[in-house]
Amino acid sequence: MKSLLTDQIVAAEIPARTLLGLGPRDADTGNLRQLQLAPLRGQGSLRLFMGLGMALVATFTMILSVPLAIASGWLGAGLVFSLWSYSQFRRLPLGDPKLSGITEYRMCNRHALYSALFWSTPFWLHGLSPPLDHVLSMWTIAVLMMVTLAIVAHSVPMACILFIAPVTLSAAAALVRADAPQLAAVAVVAGLLLCNFCVRFAQSHIRFRHAEETLHEKTETVSLLLREFEETSADWLWQTDNSRRLVHVSPRLAYALGAPADALEGVPLLQALSGDAWDTGLFPKSLHEMAERMKRRESFSNLIVPVTIGGAPRWWELSASPRLDEAGKFLGFRGVGSDVTEQRATAEQIAKMARFDNLTGLPNRLSLNEDLARALAHALDAKARCALLIIDLDRFKAVNDTLGHPVGDKLLAQVAARLKGLMERGMTCGRLGGDEFAVVLHNVASADSAEDLAKRLIATISRPYVVDNHQLFVGASIGFAIGPQDGATVETLTRNADLALYKSKDKGGNVVAGYVASLHAQAEERRVMEQELRGALERREFELYYQPVVTAADGTLNGFEALIRWQNQKLGNVSPGRFIPLAEDARLISPIGEWVLRTACHEAMKWPSNLKVAINVSADQLTDPNFASVVVSALAQSGLPPQRLEIEVTESVFLRDGGGAAQLLDQLIGLGIRLSLDDFGTGYSSLGYLRKTQFSTIKVDRSFVVGAAKGSIESIAIIRAVVALADSLGMSTTAEGAETELEVETLRNMGCSNIQGYYYGRPMPATDVRTLFRATDSSASAAA
C-alpha cells in the first residue's frame, strides 16, 4: 500500500470507516482490500469444516426438543450453503496485488450476511416463544461461532460485523421472548464488544503487515546495496581500535594504501594516510580536522582528505562512526573510504572553466567581478583607489566577417597574450566576452596612472599581427572608472566604465576616456538618437547635400560630393559626425548607405553628362557581400553611367579587412566605377593600399591644406609628394577643405588636379544644384 498506508498507518490508525469500506474510495482503497483479503487465501477448507461442524453440534443439541424433520431440514440447508459458499471462494485470487480486491471484498461481506441469516434461524425453530434453555444453548454455539469467525476472518471486520450483528440481534430478540431481558442485554453488549474487537484487531493486523512489508523492503535494499558494494564498488571498509590504529585491514584497503595487509595491521590511521608528513607533523588541514574528530570520538561523513600513497598525492573521501560495545565502551571507529582523485580533478577543471575563458586562458567576467569586488572592498577599508579599464577592440568585426571566426579567435588569443605580458603586481586582466577585455587595478595612485596604463595597452594592442599569413591591424578603445569615487559597487563601477568606453569609441577609436558624470546624459542622448535613427529612413528624414568639386587650373565644375544630412523632429539637425558612427555600431549603415547611393545616382542623372557624383562608403558596407549587386542595381535603375560614379573610401577599410574589401573594390573598378582614397596620409601605410588597388583619385586631407597655406614645411612636402605620386601612377588629386583664396592659390601652384571647399561652394540641397544649372544655361543662352 502506498500513500494510504504511509500517511495513515505510520502516523495513526486507519479510520474505521475506511477499514469497513464505508468511506470514500480513492486510488489506495484497492491496495487496502488486497492486504485485508490476503489472510483468507487458502482458508476455504477451514471455513467449510468449521461451518459444518458447528451446524452438526447445533443439530445434536436441539434434536431432542425440535422435531426431527425441522432439525434435519435446517442441517441440510446449512450443508448446501456451506458447499456453495466454498465453491464460490475456492478459486478466487484473494489478496492478488494485480487485482483491485474490491469485488472479492464485497463478496465476502455478502456471504457473511447470508451465513448470519442462516445462523439467526435456530433460535426460532420452536416458534415465536422459544424455551429459555433452547435459546441459551443456541446462543452459546452462536457465540463460539462468532469468536471463531473473528479470529479466522479478523482482517475483514465488515464481514465479521455483518455476521455478528444479525445473529446477536436474533439471539437478543429470542431471549426477550423467553422472558430473559437481562440476558438479552448481555447478548447485545457482548455482540458490540465483539464487533469493536474485530475492528481493533483488523487495524492491528494492517499495521503489523505494513511494518512487516517495510522491514522486508529495507532488508532487500540493504542486501542489494551490500551486494553491489562488494561486487562493483571501488570503495573499501576500514576499522580502527580504540587507539586509532588500523585493524582487520581488508585486501582492498591494503591495495589502496599500496602496502601488504599484515604490514598495515596496528599502524596508526593518520600515519598510513599522511606519508612523510607523519614525521614532520605538518598535516594538511582536513587531515588534522579528521584526527581531532576521531580524538573527540565524533562521527564524520564525506570528509575529503589529501593522502600520500607511494609518494604520490591522492584525495580520499572518508566517513566513519565510533563503535561501542553493549556496555557503551568505546571500541574504535568503523567507516568507508573511496579514492576521489579523478572526481576532484574533474571538479577543479569545471571550477576553472567557470572562472576562466577557454579561448584565451584569461579570467572571465565572473572572475573579474570577484576580483573587482575585492579591490573595491580594500579601497573602501584603506581609503585608497582602484580602477576598472574596459577594452574594446577596434576593427575586429571585419576580421571575423572576412577571414572567419577561426582567424578571429587566433587574433584574440594573441591580443590576450600581449595584455597578459603588460600585467604587473596588483593588476588582473581578463576577457569579458567577444572582443571586450578588462583590467582591474588594485591600489591605483590616481586617474592619471590608470590613463597612462590604458595608453600603453592601446600602443601594444595596435601593433600589427600575423595570423595564418595575414597581416592584421586592430586598435583599441578604452574607458575607465576609478573606484570608489566613480562607483562603490561592482555593478556601478562597471556601468560607468562602459559609459567611458562609449565616449572613447565616439571619438573614433584608439582613444582613452575616463568616466565623468555627464556621460549618463550622453548615454541617454545616444539611446534616444539610436531609437530615432532606426525609423529615420521610413520617415524620410534624410536628405543629400552636394558640395562642388572644381578643376584647380581654371575652376571649372567637374562634379559633386554627396553628403548626408539628418533633420529629426525630436533632435533637430544632427551632424553626420554624430550619427554615422552610431549607425555603424547599430548595424544601420548598410540600409542608410544604400539609400545614399540610389538617391545620389538618381539625382546625378539630372545634371549635365560631364559631371560625376562622389559618395562615401564605410568599411561596414564593403564587408557586406551584397554591396556590389546594390551598386549595379542603383546604376541600372537610375541609368547613370558607371564612369560618372566615384566611390570614396578611407584607409580604415583596409585596416579592418583581411583582403575582402580589396577584392570588392576590384570588382567595382571592373564595372568602370571610379575609386577615390579619402584622407590620404592620415593612416598607417597608405602606399601599400595604392599598390593593391587602382584608385583614380587621391584626396588630400584639409589638415595638410591649412598647414601648406600657413607655410608648414611638412605639409608642403607631403602635398608635393602626394601630387608627384599620383602623377606617376596616373591618378588625379583632390584637395579638401579649401576655404580662402590663399589656400586655393597654394594648391594650384603645387599641382593639385581638383579642389573642393567652401571657397567654391558649401554643400547645397539638390534643388539648389539644379537651380545652379538652370542659371548657367540661361547665361549661356543670353551670351549667344
Side-chain angles (χ1 to χ4, degrees):
M1 301 181 64
K2 299 177 180 63
S3 62
L4 180 69
L5 295 179
T6 302
D7 297 337
Q8 296 178 340
I9 296 179
V10 176
E13 301 287 356
I14 291 182
R17 286 171 52 83
T18 303
L19 197 64
L20 295 173
L22 302 177
R25 289 181 57 185
D26 56 27
D28 293 311
T29 301
N31 296 327
L32 177 60
R33 300 299 172 241
Q34 293 167 8
L35 206 56
Q36 287 181 275
L37 293 172
L40 301 181
R41 190 186 304 120
Q43 300 295 324
S45 299
L46 176 62
R47 292 196 303 274
L48 175 62
F49 292 135
M50 181 186 71
L52 292 176
M54 289 298 178
L56 288 172
V57 171
T59 302
F60 285 134
T61 302
M62 62 180 163
I63 197 169
L64 296 178
S65 59
V66 175
L68 181 61
I70 296 175
S72 301
W74 182 82
L75 178 61
L79 177 62
V80 172
F81 171 75
S82 297
L83 291 174
W84 174 74
S85 180
Y86 172 76
S87 65
Q88 291 292 306
F89 279 94
R90 184 176 59 176
R91 297 182 180 179
L92 278 183
L94 299 177
D96 189 345
K98 298 179 181 178
L99 303 176
S100 67
I102 296 175
T103 302
E104 293 80 3
Y105 178 79
R106 290 175 176 173
M107 187 173 175
C108 286
N109 294 338
R110 288 198 304 271
H111 280 249
L113 184 60
Y114 299 155
S115 182
L117 295 176
F118 172 75
W119 281 97
S120 297
T121 58
F123 301 103
W124 307 99
L125 293 181
H126 275 282
L128 295 179
S129 299
L132 181 61
D133 58 343
H134 172 75
V135 175
L136 289 175
S137 62
M138 291 299 103
W139 182 42
T140 302
I141 296 172
V143 169
L144 180 60
M145 185 72 177
M146 288 186 285
V147 171
T148 304
L149 179 65
I151 294 173
V152 173
H154 63 274
S155 59
V156 280
M158 177 55 83
C160 296
I161 292 172
L162 288 175
F163 179 83
I164 294 170
V167 174
T168 298
L169 292 175
S170 179
L175 287 170
V176 170
R177 296 291 296 172
D179 296 327
Q182 299 89 347
L183 293 177
V186 171
V188 171
V189 172
L192 290 175
L193 290 175
L194 197 55
C195 289
N196 182 67
F197 166 78
C198 291
V199 173
R200 297 298 180 186
F201 199 4
Q203 289 177 326
S204 299
H205 166 77
I206 297 300
R207 185 171 60 252
F208 174 77
R209 286 296 306 276
H210 177 262
E212 187 180 54
E213 289 187 0
T214 302
L215 179 61
H216 179 69
E217 290 178 1
K218 289 183 177 180
T219 303
E220 284 190 345
T221 301
V222 171
S223 299
L224 179 62
L225 290 175
L226 286 175
R227 185 164 58 252
E228 182 179 357
F229 178 83
E230 292 174 353
E231 294 176 356
T232 65
S233 176
D235 298 359
W236 53 83
L237 300 173
W238 58 272
Q239 189 171 324
T240 67
D241 58 16
N242 55 11
S243 298
R244 301 189 294 279
R245 296 177 179 272
L246 287 171
V247 295
H248 308 306
V249 178
S250 66
R252 187 171 289 176
L253 175 60
Y255 177 79
L257 288 170
D262 54 356
L264 292 171
E265 287 287 340
V267 174
L269 175 64
L270 196 61
Q271 179 181 351
L273 298 180
S274 60
D276 295 338
W278 175 259
D279 297 327
T280 62
L282 301 175
F283 304 127
K285 181 179 178 181
S286 53
L287 265 182
H288 182 73
E289 178 185 352
M290 186 192 76
E292 288 297 317
R293 288 194 178 188
M294 295 182 73
K295 185 177 180 180
R296 295 193 300 267
R297 300 178 182 178
E298 295 177 355
S299 298
F300 52 90
S301 178
N302 303 324
L303 186 63
I304 306 296
V305 298
V307 300
T308 303
I309 308 299
R314 305 290 295 179
W315 290 91
W316 283 9
E317 183 179 72
L318 299 176
S319 301
S321 299
R323 295 184 299 123
L324 305 175
D325 63 10
E326 295 179 356
K329 180 182 178 182
F330 176 68
L331 300 178
F333 276 85
R334 178 184 289 121
V336 64
S338 60
D339 191 316
V340 293
T341 305
E342 305 303 328
Q343 296 92 313
R344 185 176 179 87
T346 301
E348 290 177 350
Q349 180 65 23
I350 292 174
K352 182 178 180 181
M353 291 171 63
R355 281 178 160 71
F356 288 85
D357 177 56
N358 289 335
L359 176 62
T360 62
L362 296 178
N364 60 11
R365 183 184 293 271
L366 172 64
S367 187
L368 283 171
N369 285 345
E370 292 174 348
D371 190 54
L372 181 58
R374 289 190 293 269
L376 276 170
H378 175 75
L380 288 169
D381 292 341
K383 300 189 184 312
R385 297 183 183 91
C386 63
L388 174 65
L389 284 67
I390 299 182
I391 307 163
D392 186 85
L393 299 184
D394 300 329
R395 304 182 294 274
F396 175 76
K397 176 181 174 294
V399 176
N400 267 347
D401 291 344
T402 56
L403 298 180
H405 289 280
V407 172
D409 289 345
K410 292 178 181 178
L411 177 59
L412 289 175
Q414 291 192 27
V415 171
R418 292 187 186 183
L419 287 174
K420 196 171 182 180
L422 288 174
M423 293 300 101
E424 300 174 0
R425 184 178 178 85
M427 301 180 182
T428 304
C429 69
R431 184 186 178 203
L432 297 177
D435 61 343
E436 272 197 347
F437 296 83
V439 176
V440 177
L441 302 181
H442 296 250
N443 297 320
V444 65
S446 63
D448 292 338
S449 300
E451 185 173 356
D452 290 342
L453 174 62
K455 290 179 179 178
R456 294 203 311 272
L457 293 173
I458 290 177
T460 301
I461 293 173
S462 300
R463 296 200 308 267
Y465 298 85
V466 177
V467 179
D468 292 346
N469 296 322
H470 297 284
Q471 187 175 33
L472 305 175
F473 295 87
V474 293
S477 299
I478 298 181
F480 71 89
I482 304 298
Q485 66 189 49
D486 294 336
T489 66
V490 171
E491 294 77 12
T492 305
L493 198 63
T494 302
R495 183 179 68 247
N496 291 342
D498 262 327
L499 291 176
L501 176 63
Y502 286 136
K503 178 181 178 182
S504 69
K505 292 183 74 68
D506 285 341
K507 291 182 179 180
N510 267 32
V511 176
V512 180
Y515 168 77
V516 291
S518 60
L519 290 179
H520 287 281
Q522 295 177 19
E524 177 61 18
E525 179 185 1
R526 178 187 177 93
R527 186 191 66 80
V528 173
M529 186 184 297
E530 180 180 337
Q531 184 177 356
E532 293 297 312
L533 190 60
R534 291 188 179 277
L537 273 176
E538 290 76 9
R539 294 191 297 267
R540 299 174 182 259
E541 294 178 351
F542 292 120
E543 183 181 4
L544 287 187
Y545 276 49
Y546 301 90
Q547 186 174 25
V549 179
V550 303
T551 303
D554 53 10
T556 303
L557 180 66
N558 61 38
F560 291 87
E561 180 179 2
L563 303 170
I564 190 171
R565 298 292 183 264
W566 181 26
Q567 181 67 34
N568 179 261
Q569 184 177 3
K570 183 182 294 186
L571 303 175
N573 187 17
V574 186
S575 69
R578 293 176 61 200
F579 75 81
I580 291 297
L582 181 58
E584 290 178 340
D585 288 344
R587 303 292 183 92
L588 299 173
I589 195 64
S590 291
I592 294 174
E594 181 177 347
W595 177 86
V596 171
L597 175 64
R598 294 184 184 277
T599 304
C601 290
H602 180 77
E603 186 64 30
M605 282 299 294
K606 302 175 183 179
W607 304 341
S609 59
N610 64 318
L611 300 182
K612 62 181 181 293
V613 63
I615 63 169
N616 291 281
V617 175
S618 73
D620 283 336
Q621 289 176 268
L622 291 179
T623 58
D624 186 348
N626 297 321
F627 181 70
S629 61
V630 170
V631 174
V632 172
S633 173
L635 292 174
Q637 290 182 3
S638 65
L640 185 72
Q643 295 77 13
R644 293 182 59 192
L645 175 63
E646 183 170 279
I647 290 180
E648 296 186 6
V649 298
T650 63
E651 297 172 88
S652 63
V653 168
F654 302 97
L655 292 172
R656 290 182 54 174
D657 184 64
Q663 295 177 6
L664 180 57
L665 293 176
D666 289 340
Q667 294 179 25
L668 299 179
I669 293 172
L671 296 173
I673 296 171
R674 300 168 61 86
L675 294 183
S676 174
L677 183 59
D678 200 4
D679 299 334
F680 182 77
T682 61
Y684 292 92
S685 53
S686 303
L687 294 178
Y689 309 138
L690 294 177
R691 177 178 58 82
K692 293 178 181 178
T693 306
Q694 298 176 5
F695 289 95
S696 57
T697 304
I698 301 175
K699 300 192 75 171
V700 180
D701 189 70
R702 166 167 169 73
S703 61
F704 300 128
V705 173
V706 174
K710 292 180 179 180
S712 169
I713 298 175
E714 292 82 3
S715 297
I716 293 173
I718 289 174
I719 293 177
R720 283 178 174 169
V722 170
V723 170
L725 178 63
D727 290 342
S728 64
L729 295 175
M731 303 177 185
S732 62
T733 53
T734 298
E736 296 180 294
E739 297 182 358
T740 66
E741 185 175 357
L742 175 60
E743 292 174 351
V744 170
E745 287 300 322
T746 301
L747 295 171
R748 190 176 287 156
N749 293 333
M750 297 179 71
C752 287
S753 308
N754 305 299
I755 300 177
Q756 177 182 353
Y758 288 176
Y759 182 80
Y760 287 106
R762 292 177 176 271
M764 63 188 77
T767 53
D768 291 354
V769 173
R770 292 195 293 271
T771 301
L772 178 64
F773 294 146
R774 284 195 293 271
T776 303
D777 293 341
S778 299
S779 300
S781 300

